[in-house]
Amino acid sequence: MVVFLGWAGYTYVSQIFQLEDMQKEYAQNEVEKKKAEQIRNDLQHEVNRLDDPEYLLDIARSKGMTLPDERLIRTEEE
């Protein structure tokens, strides 16, 4: 009976340590998940902005492109 109680105590203690390790890993995974969700949300926002014609015109103008009947005027600061 003493051997059985010793084995049960050892098993209980080792499972407590395993549980603590798993809880730490879970917390770390939750942090990584939140970071990944934030990145995904930022990228989704950018994709949604690409549907806006004005945003696309701003990108094109920043690269020196113009519409066919439009003239680009730059200042000295650019």
Side-chain angles (χ1 to χ4, degrees):
M1 179 128 171
V2 172
V3 173
F4 176 73
L5 289 175
W7 171 79
Y10 171 77
T11 303
Y12 178 74
V13 170
S14 68
Q15 287 180 354
I16 288 176
F17 287 122
Q18 285 178 343
L19 180 62
E20 288 177 0
D21 290 341
M22 288 178 154
Q23 287 174 338
K24 288 177 186 176
E25 185 178 343
Y26 176 78
Q28 183 180 11
N29 288 340
E30 282 294 313
V31 169
E32 290 177 12
K33 176 186 167 193
K34 287 181 182 182
K35 287 179 184 178
E37 286 176 348
Q38 182 62 41
I39 291 170
R40 181 183 55 86
N41 290 339
D42 292 344
L43 291 173
Q44 185 62 45
H45 178 69
E46 186 67 24
V47 167
N48 292 340
R49 287 179 68 188
L50 290 173
D51 289 335
D52 182 18
E54 282 296 319
Y55 181 67
L56 292 176
L57 281 173
D58 288 341
I59 292 173
R61 286 183 181 133
S62 71
K63 298 192 182 288
M65 299 177 189
T66 60
L67 292 173
D69 59 343
E70 188 177 54
R71 193 180 299 187
L72 185 64
I73 300 174
R74 293 184 183 248
T75 62
E76 291 180 17
E77 296 161 355
E78 296 179 22

